[in-house]
Amino acid sequence: MKIERVETFVLRTPLGADTFYSSQARFPERTSLLVRLTTTDGVVGWGEGGQYGPPEPVQSCIDDVLAERLLAAPDASPGVVWDLLYSTTRDYGQKGPYIEAISAIDIALWDILGKTLNASVSTLIGGRFRESVKAYGTGGYYSSTDFEPGRDLDRLSATVAGYAADGFGMLKVKVGLLDVRDDARRVAAVRDALGEDFTLLADANHAYNSSSAIAMGRVLEHYGFQFFEEPVPPEDRAGYARVRSRLDIPIAGGEAEYTRYGFRDFIADGCVDIIQPDICVCGGISEVQRIATLASAHNLRTIPHVWGSGIALAAALQVCAALPLAPYTHVPRALQNEPVIEFDRTRNPLRDDLLASEFVLDDGRVRVPDGPGLGVDVDGDVVERYLVRSGDSGRVRV
Ligand code: CA
Protein backbone atom coordinates (compact mmCIF):
# COMPACT_ATOMS: atom_id res chain seq x y z
CA MET A 1 0.00 0.00 0.00
CA LYS A 2 1.54 3.28 -1.13
CA ILE A 3 0.12 6.81 -1.20
CA GLU A 4 0.58 8.85 -4.37
CA ARG A 5 -1.60 11.91 -3.69
CA VAL A 6 -2.30 13.97 -0.57
CA GLU A 7 -5.05 16.62 -0.71
CA THR A 8 -6.14 18.94 2.09
CA PHE A 9 -9.32 20.99 2.36
CA VAL A 10 -10.08 23.79 4.82
CA LEU A 11 -13.85 24.11 5.15
CA ARG A 12 -15.49 27.06 6.88
CA THR A 13 -19.11 28.08 7.40
CA PRO A 14 -20.37 31.10 9.36
CA LEU A 15 -23.11 30.48 11.94
CA GLY A 16 -24.74 33.91 11.84
CA ALA A 17 -27.63 34.07 14.27
CA ASP A 18 -26.71 30.61 15.61
CA THR A 19 -23.43 31.92 17.07
CA PHE A 20 -22.92 30.49 20.56
CA TYR A 21 -20.54 30.69 23.52
CA SER A 22 -18.72 28.28 25.82
CA SER A 23 -16.92 29.45 28.95
CA GLN A 24 -13.88 30.10 26.75
CA ALA A 25 -14.94 31.47 23.43
CA ARG A 26 -17.48 32.79 20.99
CA PHE A 27 -18.27 30.39 18.13
CA PRO A 28 -19.26 32.47 15.09
CA GLU A 29 -18.32 29.75 12.57
CA ARG A 30 -17.56 26.05 12.19
CA THR A 31 -14.43 24.81 10.47
CA SER A 32 -12.87 21.49 9.49
CA LEU A 33 -9.60 20.36 8.00
CA LEU A 34 -10.17 17.33 5.80
CA VAL A 35 -7.51 15.21 4.14
CA ARG A 36 -8.05 12.94 1.16
CA LEU A 37 -5.39 10.35 0.39
CA THR A 38 -5.19 8.33 -2.81
CA THR A 39 -3.17 5.12 -3.18
CA THR A 40 -1.28 4.01 -6.26
CA ASP A 41 -4.18 1.58 -6.79
CA GLY A 42 -6.67 4.46 -6.80
CA VAL A 43 -8.22 3.76 -3.39
CA VAL A 44 -9.33 6.97 -1.65
CA GLY A 45 -9.50 7.58 2.12
CA TRP A 46 -10.76 10.56 4.13
CA GLY A 47 -9.54 11.90 7.46
CA GLU A 48 -10.03 14.96 9.65
CA GLY A 49 -7.91 16.95 12.09
CA GLY A 50 -7.55 20.47 13.47
CA GLN A 51 -10.67 20.46 15.60
CA TYR A 52 -10.31 23.35 17.99
CA GLY A 53 -8.50 26.28 16.47
CA PRO A 54 -7.96 27.65 12.99
CA PRO A 55 -7.37 24.65 10.69
CA GLU A 56 -4.77 26.36 8.50
CA PRO A 57 -1.73 25.52 10.69
CA VAL A 58 -2.75 21.85 10.61
CA GLN A 59 -3.11 22.06 6.86
CA SER A 60 0.38 23.55 6.64
CA CYS A 61 1.84 20.69 8.72
CA ILE A 62 0.47 18.28 6.12
CA ASP A 63 1.10 20.25 2.93
CA ASP A 64 4.51 21.63 3.85
CA VAL A 65 6.03 18.80 5.89
CA LEU A 66 4.18 15.50 6.31
CA ALA A 67 2.86 14.96 2.77
CA GLU A 68 6.36 14.56 1.35
CA ARG A 69 7.25 11.98 4.00
CA LEU A 70 4.00 10.12 3.48
CA LEU A 71 4.47 10.05 -0.29
CA ALA A 72 7.98 8.67 0.17
CA ALA A 73 6.88 5.93 2.58
CA PRO A 74 7.24 2.50 0.96
CA ASP A 75 4.48 1.12 3.21
CA ALA A 76 1.46 3.31 4.00
CA SER A 77 -0.07 1.03 6.63
CA PRO A 78 -1.50 3.17 9.47
CA GLY A 79 0.75 1.89 12.26
CA VAL A 80 3.89 2.15 10.15
CA VAL A 81 3.09 5.67 8.96
CA TRP A 82 2.14 6.81 12.48
CA ASP A 83 5.51 5.79 13.82
CA LEU A 84 7.34 7.35 10.88
CA LEU A 85 5.54 10.71 11.11
CA TYR A 86 5.65 10.99 14.90
CA SER A 87 9.27 9.87 15.21
CA THR A 88 10.44 12.36 12.60
CA THR A 89 8.51 15.32 14.10
CA ARG A 90 8.96 14.49 17.79
CA ASP A 91 11.51 17.21 18.45
CA TYR A 92 9.05 19.97 17.54
CA GLY A 93 5.63 18.36 17.32
CA GLN A 94 4.69 16.43 20.46
CA LYS A 95 1.41 18.33 20.91
CA GLY A 96 -0.74 20.61 18.79
CA PRO A 97 -0.95 20.95 15.00
CA TYR A 98 1.51 18.21 14.08
CA ILE A 99 -0.40 15.61 16.08
CA GLU A 100 -3.71 16.85 14.66
CA ALA A 101 -2.19 16.51 11.18
CA ILE A 102 -1.00 12.98 11.96
CA SER A 103 -4.51 12.24 13.30
CA ALA A 104 -6.11 13.27 10.00
CA ILE A 105 -3.65 11.20 7.97
CA ASP A 106 -4.07 8.19 10.25
CA ILE A 107 -7.86 8.25 9.99
CA ALA A 108 -7.61 8.41 6.18
CA LEU A 109 -5.15 5.50 6.14
CA TRP A 110 -7.54 3.36 8.21
CA ASP A 111 -10.32 4.29 5.79
CA ILE A 112 -8.11 3.12 2.91
CA LEU A 113 -7.07 -0.08 4.69
CA GLY A 114 -10.70 -0.96 5.30
CA LYS A 115 -11.65 -0.29 1.70
CA THR A 116 -8.68 -2.34 0.51
CA LEU A 117 -9.65 -5.31 2.70
CA ASN A 118 -13.42 -4.75 2.40
CA ALA A 119 -13.87 -4.47 6.16
CA SER A 120 -15.02 -1.70 8.47
CA VAL A 121 -12.43 0.00 10.67
CA SER A 122 -14.13 -1.42 13.78
CA THR A 123 -13.68 -4.91 12.37
CA LEU A 124 -10.02 -4.26 11.66
CA ILE A 125 -9.27 -2.94 15.16
CA GLY A 126 -10.66 -5.97 16.90
CA GLY A 127 -14.33 -6.30 16.08
CA ARG A 128 -17.63 -4.89 17.20
CA PHE A 129 -19.06 -5.16 20.69
CA ARG A 130 -22.13 -3.25 19.47
CA GLU A 131 -23.78 -2.24 16.19
CA SER A 132 -25.04 1.08 17.53
CA VAL A 133 -23.82 3.43 20.23
CA LYS A 134 -25.99 5.27 22.72
CA ALA A 135 -25.68 8.99 22.08
CA TYR A 136 -25.56 11.94 24.38
CA GLY A 137 -26.50 15.32 23.00
CA THR A 138 -24.17 18.25 23.55
CA GLY A 139 -25.99 21.55 23.79
CA GLY A 140 -27.25 24.08 26.28
CA TYR A 141 -24.55 26.53 25.26
CA TYR A 142 -24.70 30.17 26.19
CA SER A 143 -26.20 32.79 23.93
CA SER A 144 -25.03 36.38 24.23
CA THR A 145 -27.96 37.31 26.47
CA ASP A 146 -26.71 34.81 29.05
CA PHE A 147 -24.13 37.39 30.04
CA GLU A 148 -27.00 38.83 32.08
CA PRO A 149 -27.58 36.06 34.60
CA GLY A 150 -31.01 34.52 34.74
CA ARG A 151 -32.38 36.32 31.73
CA ASP A 152 -32.32 33.40 29.37
CA LEU A 153 -33.46 30.50 31.55
CA ASP A 154 -36.75 30.03 29.72
CA ARG A 155 -34.99 29.71 26.41
CA LEU A 156 -32.47 27.26 27.89
CA SER A 157 -35.31 25.14 29.31
CA ALA A 158 -37.07 25.11 25.94
CA THR A 159 -33.86 24.16 24.13
CA VAL A 160 -33.07 21.17 26.34
CA ALA A 161 -36.71 20.05 26.30
CA GLY A 162 -36.40 20.06 22.51
CA TYR A 163 -33.46 17.64 22.70
CA ALA A 164 -35.51 15.29 24.85
CA ALA A 165 -38.35 15.52 22.33
CA ASP A 166 -35.84 14.59 19.60
CA GLY A 167 -35.21 11.29 21.41
CA PHE A 168 -32.17 11.99 23.56
CA GLY A 169 -32.14 10.45 27.02
CA MET A 170 -28.74 11.87 27.86
CA LEU A 171 -27.52 15.44 27.53
CA LYS A 172 -24.39 17.44 28.26
CA VAL A 173 -24.77 21.12 29.05
CA LYS A 174 -22.28 23.91 29.54
CA VAL A 175 -21.21 25.58 32.76
CA GLY A 176 -18.41 27.98 33.60
CA LEU A 177 -19.22 31.19 31.74
CA LEU A 178 -21.13 32.72 34.67
CA ASP A 179 -20.19 32.58 38.32
CA VAL A 180 -21.08 29.42 40.20
CA ARG A 181 -24.26 30.84 41.77
CA ASP A 182 -25.69 31.99 38.43
CA ASP A 183 -24.66 28.80 36.64
CA ALA A 184 -26.38 26.86 39.44
CA ARG A 185 -29.65 28.47 38.33
CA ARG A 186 -29.06 27.22 34.78
CA VAL A 187 -28.27 23.72 36.07
CA ALA A 188 -31.45 23.75 38.17
CA ALA A 189 -33.50 24.95 35.20
CA VAL A 190 -32.18 22.12 33.01
CA ARG A 191 -32.95 19.51 35.66
CA ASP A 192 -36.39 20.98 36.19
CA ALA A 193 -37.11 20.95 32.44
CA LEU A 194 -36.03 17.33 31.93
CA GLY A 195 -37.10 15.62 35.14
CA GLU A 196 -35.33 13.43 37.68
CA ASP A 197 -34.75 10.40 35.44
CA PHE A 198 -32.95 12.21 32.61
CA THR A 199 -29.18 11.61 32.47
CA LEU A 200 -27.31 14.92 32.66
CA LEU A 201 -23.63 15.71 32.18
CA ALA A 202 -21.82 19.03 32.54
CA ASP A 203 -18.82 20.56 30.80
CA ALA A 204 -16.92 23.58 32.14
CA ASN A 205 -14.32 23.79 29.34
CA HIS A 206 -11.71 24.28 32.09
CA ALA A 207 -13.29 27.46 33.47
CA TYR A 208 -12.40 26.99 37.14
CA ASN A 209 -9.61 26.76 39.62
CA SER A 210 -9.86 23.76 41.93
CA SER A 211 -11.82 25.63 44.62
CA SER A 212 -14.52 26.98 42.32
CA ALA A 213 -14.63 23.63 40.50
CA ILE A 214 -15.37 21.87 43.79
CA ALA A 215 -18.15 24.38 44.49
CA MET A 216 -19.65 23.79 41.05
CA GLY A 217 -19.20 20.04 41.43
CA ARG A 218 -21.29 20.10 44.61
CA VAL A 219 -24.05 21.86 42.70
CA LEU A 220 -23.87 19.20 39.98
CA GLU A 221 -23.97 16.44 42.57
CA HIS A 222 -27.02 18.04 44.17
CA TYR A 223 -28.82 17.93 40.81
CA GLY A 224 -27.73 14.36 40.06
CA PHE A 225 -25.31 14.97 37.20
CA GLN A 226 -23.34 11.93 36.02
CA PHE A 227 -20.00 13.46 35.07
CA PHE A 228 -18.17 16.79 35.30
CA GLU A 229 -16.00 17.50 32.26
CA GLU A 230 -12.85 19.64 32.19
CA PRO A 231 -13.35 21.35 35.56
CA VAL A 232 -9.88 22.94 35.50
CA PRO A 233 -7.28 23.75 32.82
CA PRO A 234 -5.57 20.69 31.32
CA GLU A 235 -2.17 21.80 32.62
CA ASP A 236 -3.44 21.90 36.23
CA ARG A 237 -3.05 18.24 37.05
CA ALA A 238 -2.77 18.84 40.79
CA GLY A 239 -6.03 20.80 40.55
CA TYR A 240 -7.68 17.92 38.68
CA ALA A 241 -6.54 15.45 41.34
CA ARG A 242 -7.77 17.75 44.15
CA VAL A 243 -11.17 18.18 42.51
CA ARG A 244 -11.47 14.44 41.91
CA SER A 245 -10.56 13.58 45.51
CA ARG A 246 -13.06 16.04 46.97
CA LEU A 247 -16.07 15.17 44.81
CA ASP A 248 -18.12 12.04 44.26
CA ILE A 249 -19.24 12.97 40.74
CA PRO A 250 -16.98 11.29 38.13
CA ILE A 251 -14.44 13.69 36.60
CA ALA A 252 -13.94 13.59 32.83
CA GLY A 253 -11.33 15.23 30.64
CA GLY A 254 -8.64 14.84 28.03
CA GLU A 255 -9.96 16.46 24.86
CA ALA A 256 -6.98 18.82 24.92
CA GLU A 257 -4.43 16.05 25.55
CA TYR A 258 -2.28 14.38 22.93
CA THR A 259 -0.88 10.90 22.30
CA ARG A 260 -0.27 8.01 24.68
CA TYR A 261 2.46 10.06 26.36
CA GLY A 262 0.14 12.89 27.34
CA PHE A 263 -2.53 10.48 28.54
CA ARG A 264 0.04 8.41 30.45
CA ASP A 265 0.78 11.43 32.63
CA PHE A 266 -2.86 12.57 32.79
CA ILE A 267 -3.86 9.14 34.09
CA ALA A 268 -0.85 8.63 36.35
CA ASP A 269 -1.54 11.93 38.13
CA GLY A 270 -5.00 10.70 39.10
CA CYS A 271 -6.82 13.43 37.18
CA VAL A 272 -9.93 11.68 35.89
CA ASP A 273 -12.40 8.83 36.05
CA ILE A 274 -13.26 9.12 32.35
CA ILE A 275 -10.76 9.95 29.60
CA GLN A 276 -12.02 11.77 26.52
CA PRO A 277 -9.46 11.58 23.73
CA ASP A 278 -10.56 13.31 20.53
CA ILE A 279 -9.64 10.98 17.66
CA CYS A 280 -8.97 13.93 15.31
CA VAL A 281 -6.66 15.51 17.90
CA CYS A 282 -4.98 12.83 20.04
CA GLY A 283 -3.26 10.99 17.20
CA GLY A 284 -6.02 9.29 15.22
CA ILE A 285 -7.46 5.80 15.30
CA SER A 286 -4.07 4.14 15.81
CA GLU A 287 -3.23 6.24 18.86
CA VAL A 288 -6.67 6.27 20.49
CA GLN A 289 -6.46 2.49 20.79
CA ARG A 290 -3.17 2.79 22.68
CA ILE A 291 -4.70 5.48 24.89
CA ALA A 292 -7.79 3.37 25.54
CA THR A 293 -5.54 0.45 26.47
CA LEU A 294 -3.75 2.65 29.01
CA ALA A 295 -7.11 3.64 30.45
CA SER A 296 -8.25 0.04 30.57
CA ALA A 297 -5.15 -0.96 32.52
CA HIS A 298 -6.17 1.64 35.14
CA ASN A 299 -9.84 0.59 35.13
CA LEU A 300 -10.89 3.97 33.71
CA ARG A 301 -13.58 4.57 31.13
CA THR A 302 -12.90 5.91 27.62
CA ILE A 303 -15.55 8.12 26.05
CA PRO A 304 -14.12 9.77 22.94
CA HIS A 305 -14.65 13.48 22.52
CA VAL A 306 -16.27 14.39 19.19
CA TRP A 307 -16.23 17.87 17.69
CA GLY A 308 -16.09 18.05 13.94
CA SER A 309 -17.58 16.98 10.66
CA GLY A 310 -19.31 13.75 9.73
CA ILE A 311 -15.89 12.17 9.23
CA ALA A 312 -14.95 12.81 12.86
CA LEU A 313 -18.26 11.29 13.94
CA ALA A 314 -17.79 8.25 11.69
CA ALA A 315 -14.29 7.65 13.09
CA ALA A 316 -15.59 7.91 16.67
CA LEU A 317 -18.44 5.49 15.96
CA GLN A 318 -16.00 2.94 14.53
CA VAL A 319 -13.80 3.25 17.63
CA CYS A 320 -16.73 3.16 20.08
CA ALA A 321 -18.03 -0.01 18.42
CA ALA A 322 -14.74 -1.74 19.21
CA LEU A 323 -14.30 -0.55 22.82
CA PRO A 324 -14.97 -3.26 25.40
CA LEU A 325 -17.07 -2.66 28.51
CA ALA A 326 -15.00 -0.96 31.21
CA PRO A 327 -15.26 -2.90 33.41
CA TYR A 328 -17.22 -5.91 32.16
CA THR A 329 -20.65 -6.66 33.54
CA HIS A 330 -23.16 -9.26 32.40
CA VAL A 331 -25.56 -6.51 31.37
CA PRO A 332 -23.99 -3.39 29.80
CA ARG A 333 -24.95 -0.01 31.23
CA ALA A 334 -24.52 2.92 28.90
CA LEU A 335 -22.21 5.57 30.35
CA GLN A 336 -21.53 3.47 33.46
CA ASN A 337 -19.35 0.95 31.62
CA GLU A 338 -20.47 1.04 27.99
CA PRO A 339 -19.06 3.78 25.75
CA VAL A 340 -21.41 6.50 24.54
CA ILE A 341 -21.03 8.78 21.53
CA GLU A 342 -20.97 12.56 21.77
CA PHE A 343 -23.59 13.92 19.38
CA ASP A 344 -23.12 17.67 19.16
CA ARG A 345 -26.43 19.48 18.58
CA THR A 346 -25.15 22.95 17.74
CA ARG A 347 -25.72 23.86 14.10
CA ASN A 348 -22.93 22.48 11.90
CA PRO A 349 -23.53 21.91 8.16
CA LEU A 350 -20.10 20.25 7.98
CA ARG A 351 -21.45 17.50 10.23
CA ASP A 352 -24.96 17.23 8.85
CA ASP A 353 -24.45 17.81 5.10
CA LEU A 354 -20.94 16.55 4.29
CA LEU A 355 -21.78 12.85 4.04
CA ALA A 356 -24.03 11.18 1.49
CA SER A 357 -26.17 9.91 4.37
CA GLU A 358 -26.64 11.80 7.63
CA PHE A 359 -26.23 10.17 11.04
CA VAL A 360 -29.59 9.99 12.78
CA LEU A 361 -30.74 9.21 16.27
CA ASP A 362 -32.79 6.00 16.54
CA ASP A 363 -34.14 5.10 19.98
CA GLY A 364 -31.40 7.23 21.53
CA ARG A 365 -28.64 5.44 19.61
CA VAL A 366 -26.59 6.02 16.45
CA ARG A 367 -25.81 3.12 14.13
CA VAL A 368 -22.19 2.30 13.35
CA PRO A 369 -21.70 2.39 9.56
CA ASP A 370 -21.01 -1.12 8.30
CA GLY A 371 -19.48 -0.33 4.91
CA PRO A 372 -15.72 -0.75 4.38
CA GLY A 373 -13.33 1.68 6.09
CA LEU A 374 -15.13 4.48 7.89
CA GLY A 375 -18.26 3.36 6.04
CA VAL A 376 -19.22 6.82 4.79
CA ASP A 377 -19.19 8.65 1.45
CA VAL A 378 -18.19 12.32 1.27
CA ASP A 379 -20.31 14.62 -0.92
CA GLY A 380 -17.83 16.46 -3.14
CA ASP A 381 -20.31 19.25 -3.82
CA VAL A 382 -20.49 20.02 -0.11
CA VAL A 383 -16.69 20.12 0.11
CA GLU A 384 -16.69 22.63 -2.76
CA ARG A 385 -19.45 24.69 -1.15
CA TYR A 386 -17.55 25.31 2.09
CA LEU A 387 -13.98 25.17 0.75
CA VAL A 388 -11.78 28.16 1.56
CA ARG A 389 -8.30 26.75 0.89
CA SER A 390 -6.99 23.51 -0.56
CA GLY A 391 -3.61 21.81 -0.93
CA ASP A 392 -2.49 19.09 -3.31
CA SER A 393 0.74 17.10 -3.08
CA GLY A 394 1.99 14.17 -5.10
CA ARG A 395 1.53 12.80 -8.53
CA VAL A 396 -1.83 13.37 -10.16
CA ARG A 397 -3.17 10.21 -11.81
CA VAL A 398 -3.70 10.37 -15.54
CA1 CA B 1 -15.66 19.57 26.29
Side-chain angles (χ1 to χ4, degrees), residues 14 37 79 135 204 331 338 347:
L37 305 180
V331 178
E338 187 179 23
R347 190 168 80 81

Side-chain angles (χ1 to χ4, degrees), residues 19 52 78-79 85-86 137 143 153 193 245 297 350 352 363 375 380:
T19 293
Y52 304 145
L85 298 184
Y86 184 78
S143 65
L153 291 180
S245 70
L350 307 179
D352 295 336
D363 196 23

Side-chain angles (χ1 to χ4, degrees), residues 381-394:
D381 290 343
V382 177
V383 174
E384 287 294 324
R385 188 185 312 155
Y386 298 113
L387 183 65
V388 293
R389 196 168 86 172
S390 61
D392 194 346
S393 310

Side-chain angles (χ1 to χ4, degrees), residues 35 44-48 104 106-115 119-122 124 128 279 285 310-319 355 359 367-378:
V35 59
V44 168
W46 286 91
E48 180 171 8
D106 180 81
I107 292 166
L109 290 175
W110 277 103
D111 192 25
I112 286 173
L113 187 62
K115 288 170 177 169
S120 69
V121 168
S122 49
L124 294 179
R128 295 184 177 199
I279 295 160
I285 291 166
I311 294 173
L313 191 52
L317 283 165
Q318 295 290 343
V319 168
L355 305 181
F359 289 110
R367 280 200 66 77
V368 183
D370 48 16
L374 296 175
V376 295
D377 293 314
V378 173

Side-chain angles (χ1 to χ4, degrees), residues 174 203 205 229-230 255 305:
K174 294 288 167 172
D203 183 3
N205 294 94
E229 175 173 324
E230 283 204 299
E255 69 185 70
H305 176 264

